[in-house]
Amino acid sequence: MEMLSVKNIGISFGGLHAVDSFSITINKGELYGLIGPNGAGKTTVFNLLTGVYKPDIGQIFLDGENITGRSTIEINKAGIARTFQNIRLFKNMSVLDNVKCGLHNDYKYSSFSGIFRLPSYFKTEKIMNERAYEILEVFGLEKEAKILSSNLPYGKQRKLEIARALATNPKLLLLDEPAAGMNPSETEELMDTISLVRKQYDVTILLIEHDMKLVSGICEKIFVLNFGIELANGLPQDVLNDPEVIKAYLGE
Amino acid sequence: MTTQFLNIKKLNKSTRYNIVTVGSILIAYAICMYMINAGNMSNLLQNLLVAMCYYGIMAVSLNLTVGILGQLSLGHAGFMCIGAFTGAFFSKIMINTMDNVIIRFTLAILIGAAMAGLFGVIIGIVVLRLRGDYLAIVTLAFGEIIKNVLNVLYIGYDSRGIHFSMKDTASLNLEEGGMVIVKGAQGISGTPRNATFTIGVALLIITYLIIVNLVNSRSGRAIMAIRDNHIAAESVGIDITKYKILAFSISAALAGVAGVLYSHNIATVQSTKFGYNTSILILVFVVLGGMGNLRGSMIAAILLTVLPEYLRFMRDYRMLIYAIVLIVMMIFNWAPIFINWRKNHSLKDAFNNILKKIVKAKKEA
């Protein structure tokens, strides 16, 4: 069953075709890797999928629903959540509150009941706390729940960002270089976490990564992008041995 | 005693913080009332008591926009102006028809807050598309527009209803026996002086609780998420426009409350009192008290309201000294040495130590 189906999307900035007729189909539950040399347009693809940029041409379908041209907020509500290459946490808020921001649209009460502390406030906050702690436990962050997110060590900040994205209950999770800046043992731990997340949350994942060990270790399929166009697409062993891909990465 | 002590410990951190803050306000209030009744308070200070309250409300409410939403607003006095005029206007019209002072003043506060909040929404929709310096300049402009429009506005009231004019009193075409309420640059005079220190303190506490409860709720998290990272906030589905306008208009409405308090405390309200000087003054309270620190805002507002009055003996040098004191406070207030000193000498520790001693003494007995 198709979870994400992208048909020939493209965007240009001035004369630069940052992404050109990009098509991908991701089935439900799959873990797809998006790789490519620096400046290949990987993050631009993420920005197109999440509505930060509107594609000039092409269409995007999520779970059969056309989400082309919608705003970031609507796309998140439709079921795409993401993390960022440069970590974007809510720095002056606690770890717990970061996750609770992710629960914003699933558990609601009005500002009025918040200000005047009506019963719905206490009821919903209690459920939100339970849910947030559940998610934090998956990432082993429950002990740090009350501290400021900016005081977390780097690896845990990355994890918290994934936790926050998962809190929005997405169908598709986009991870932008989740292992960037991590040491080998942290990367190892992250791979375990990603596997655990897939098991527990029944979520489809598309991730950008430079760490080939991680990509070949957990991705079921790989898409290679170069200068905004598709270079290769398929199973890891085929793609990584493709002479074109090796040429793009290592030069001739 | 022991059980009570333990219960305080069990409460969650923000609740404890609020109890301490509201408790401190109430203790300060009790001390002031005691001093007034005993005749120990100078007239000068007595006259400042309500001013402390409305400046406190202004500082706390501006902190919602500047410290918690993270948007710099330089037109906060404009909303105070709207609240002051609306509240005073309502009280003047109703002075003969509504005898119950409490109901009339409560309604004046609510109407003043609603009107300021409404302007907050309208202006917020227009200006909150901007950020940083641009937003600061535009809010400054709106504050001045409000001030200057009210400066030339004439409103009269007779049996046919309410009349507006931007020219002069004569062009209102009032019937005989009609009453001119807003007289352009002269503003509104003869507003019933219903504002008391008690009401001011009550409103300050209510304002504080409204903001603190907002901050610790779902909407408050959304507002702070926008401040910390608006791109990430959008990515988790938080409606940025909605929460920016929500915070801005609540902040404006509370400034309106301060305005109503102001206009019912002095005989004449003139719009020139609400220029950008006042906006900057309130911003100084917020910056000095600490961005997002509501308790600090209140303390700064109270200190800086009292200070210039006590510097009056310096005559021409008054504002110079005031400025120097301000600079010194800015430098030292957040200096690490002073922060440590405050930590080591905090009231909380002193209070806990006393409690511990009492518990110990009881055990021994």
Side-chain angles (χ1 to χ4, degrees):
Chain A
M1 202 191 119
E2 286 177 10
M3 178 50 74
L4 179 78
S5 160
V6 178
K7 289 177 183 149
N8 294 318
I9 57 167
I11 188 169
S12 308
F13 301 111
L16 176 78
H17 295 287
V19 172
D20 207 3
S21 63
F22 175 86
S23 298
I24 193 170
T25 303
I26 304 179
N27 291 322
K28 193 168 188 296
E30 256 178 348
L31 206 170
Y32 228 110
L34 177 61
I35 64 170
N38 286 330
K42 302 181 295 291
T43 298
T44 310
V45 167
F46 269 29
N47 283 336
L48 285 168
L49 292 179
T50 53
V52 175
Y53 302 140
K54 308 265 177 286
D56 296 337
I57 47 159
Q59 284 177 316
I60 305 166
F61 293 89
L62 179 75
D63 211 4
E65 191 183 352
N66 189 347
I67 57 165
T68 324
R70 289 203 196 164
S71 73
T72 310
I73 298 161
E74 283 167 348
I75 286 178
N76 178 265
K77 283 181 186 167
I80 298 183
R82 73 175 289 185
T83 67
F84 297 89
Q85 193 174 350
N86 45 344
I87 303 175
R88 288 178 184 274
L89 285 174
F90 305 131
K91 284 182 191 153
N92 297 311
M93 295 167 74
S94 71
V95 169
L96 182 67
D97 280 351
N98 266 273
V99 177
K100 279 162 94 177
C101 281
L103 300 170
H104 184 81
N105 283 323
D106 282 352
Y107 301 91
K108 289 185 179 178
Y109 57 85
S110 67
S111 307
F112 186 83
S113 23
I115 291 172
F116 295 102
R117 297 282 142 116
L118 303 182
S120 65
Y121 163 83
F122 293 102
K123 215 174 97 194
T124 318
E125 280 290 311
K126 193 167 165 261
I127 304 172
M128 283 175 108
N129 277 332
E130 284 165 7
R131 184 89 183 91
Y133 269 106
E134 252 173 55
I135 296 169
L136 285 175
E137 266 168 37
V138 172
F139 291 86
L141 287 168
E142 73 278 4
K143 287 207 179 70
E144 282 102 339
K146 295 279 159 113
I147 71 170
L148 276 188
S149 64
S150 55
N151 291 342
L152 283 181
Y154 185 82
K156 288 189 172 174
Q157 291 196 13
R158 286 252 172 235
K159 280 186 176 176
L160 177 58
E161 223 193 4
I162 302 174
R164 185 184 67 191
L166 268 178
T168 66
N169 197 15
K171 295 172 184 166
L172 175 68
L173 182 62
L174 307 180
L175 305 175
D176 199 343
E177 297 201 26
M182 284 187 172
N183 63 36
S185 73
E186 281 175 327
T187 309
E188 199 87 16
E189 210 187 313
L190 180 78
M191 283 164 71
D192 293 342
T193 312
I194 292 175
S195 310
L196 186 68
V197 163
R198 282 182 73 201
K199 258 184 233 153
Q200 294 223 342
Y201 290 94
D202 183 34
V203 67
T204 311
I205 299 176
L206 173 64
L207 64 85
I208 294 176
E209 193 46 72
H210 281 301
D211 190 323
M212 282 306 155
K213 201 174 136 231
L214 186 142
V215 172
S216 54
I218 59 171
C219 292
E220 288 155 355
K221 278 184 183 170
I222 293 175
F223 190 106
V224 189
L225 201 64
N226 194 20
F227 297 117
I229 48 176
E230 177 181 335
L231 199 64
N233 183 10
L235 298 171
Q237 61 269 32
D238 301 338
V239 169
L240 296 178
N241 296 324
D242 188 323
E244 285 290 320
V245 175
I246 294 167
K247 203 171 90 183
Y249 264 94
L250 301 175
E252 291 190 54
Chain B
M1 198 70 210
T2 348
T3 48
Q4 245 180 356
F5 177 61
L6 287 174
N7 277 343
I8 289 174
K9 282 254 158 173
K10 257 187 203 166
L11 286 168
N12 92 38
K13 208 175 159 193
S14 68
T15 320
R16 227 185 314 161
Y17 185 90
N18 294 344
I19 291 173
V20 171
T21 312
V22 173
S24 317
I25 298 175
L26 287 175
I27 290 169
Y29 168 73
I31 293 171
C32 287
M33 287 314 265
Y34 175 78
M35 282 172 74
I36 293 170
N37 288 336
N40 287 335
M41 193 179 271
S42 67
N43 273 335
L44 180 68
L45 198 58
Q46 279 194 35
N47 289 334
L48 284 175
L49 288 175
V50 180
M52 285 181 203
C53 296
Y54 59 69
Y55 280 130
I57 296 173
M58 286 301 281
V60 174
S61 64
L62 183 63
N63 211 332
L64 177 59
T65 305
V66 178
I68 291 156
L69 178 64
Q71 306 291 332
L72 187 54
S73 165
L74 295 180
H76 207 52
F79 298 117
M80 188 185 184
C81 186
I82 290 170
F85 273 75
T86 316
F89 182 78
F90 176 80
S91 289
K92 284 269 286 186
I93 292 183
M94 291 297 170
I95 197 159
N96 295 322
T97 40
M98 283 175 108
D99 290 330
N100 191 329
V101 177
I102 298 169
I103 295 176
R104 193 182 63 215
F105 192 46
T106 311
L107 278 176
I109 288 168
L110 291 177
I111 289 172
M115 188 62 103
L118 180 70
F119 271 84
V121 174
I122 295 168
I123 294 173
I125 288 171
V126 179
V127 305
L128 289 173
R129 294 159 186 276
L130 303 168
R131 276 191 207 114
D133 308 351
Y134 301 99
L135 177 72
I137 292 166
V138 175
T139 49
L140 178 75
F142 268 103
E144 289 297 294
I145 289 170
I146 291 169
K147 183 191 94 178
N148 287 318
V149 167
L150 281 170
N151 203 28
V152 295
L153 193 65
Y154 294 83
I155 304 176
Y157 174 74
D158 62 12
S159 60
R160 288 175 297 165
I162 299 169
H163 303 259
F164 295 89
S165 165
M166 302 276 271
K167 261 166 80 185
D168 50 29
T169 329
S171 54
L172 286 171
N173 294 323
L174 288 179
E175 283 176 345
E176 222 168 284
M179 186 168 53
V180 185
I181 296 174
V182 184
K183 296 178 196 132
Q186 287 170 6
I188 303 179
S189 51
T191 316
R193 297 182 61 173
N194 300 131
T196 61
F197 181 46
T198 310
I199 294 174
V201 169
L203 289 175
L204 179 62
I205 292 174
I206 291 171
T207 305
Y208 170 77
L209 288 178
I210 285 179
I211 294 183
V212 101
N213 281 354
L214 177 74
V215 169
N216 293 313
S217 74
R218 173 176 170 266
S219 315
R221 280 194 297 271
I223 292 165
M224 289 187 290
I226 294 168
R227 170 196 66 191
D228 281 358
N229 201 313
H230 67 101
I231 293 172
E234 261 188 327
S235 86
V236 294
I238 291 171
D239 188 339
I240 291 193
T241 319
K242 178 183 158 190
Y243 285 102
K244 269 188 177 177
I245 290 170
L246 178 83
F248 195 70
S249 55
I250 289 178
S251 163
L254 293 171
V257 172
V260 179
L261 198 60
Y262 172 88
S263 63
H264 289 73
N265 183 44
I266 52 162
T268 311
V269 198
Q270 288 170 327
S271 66
T272 43
K273 290 276 191 299
F274 304 98
Y276 74 95
N277 272 332
T278 311
S279 294
I280 299 283
L281 179 72
I282 291 152
L283 187 65
V284 168
F285 299 158
V286 173
V287 174
L288 191 67
M291 298 273 191
N293 184 345
L294 301 178
R295 206 193 268 172
S297 294
M298 284 191 272
I299 296 171
I302 290 165
L303 286 183
L304 293 185
T305 309
V306 176
L307 183 67
E309 296 302 324
Y310 275 90
L311 291 174
R312 267 191 199 284
F313 69 93
M314 307 230 189
R315 295 171 193 279
D316 292 350
Y317 297 106
R318 182 168 75 112
M319 288 326 275
L320 183 71
I321 302 292
Y322 178 75
I324 291 171
V325 171
L326 211 57
I327 292 167
V328 170
M329 280 170 80
M330 287 279 185
I331 292 171
F332 289 110
N333 194 25
W334 299 110
I337 295 175
F338 274 75
I339 291 174
N340 279 337
W341 189 86
R342 278 200 299 264
K343 256 187 201 157
N344 297 334
H345 296 78
S346 73
L347 283 174
K348 197 170 103 189
D349 288 353
F351 181 70
N352 282 344
N353 284 338
I354 293 170
L355 276 182
K356 269 179 202 161
K357 271 180 195 161
I358 293 172
V359 173
K360 214 176 162 188
K362 272 204 168 178
K363 266 185 191 167
E364 280 168 8

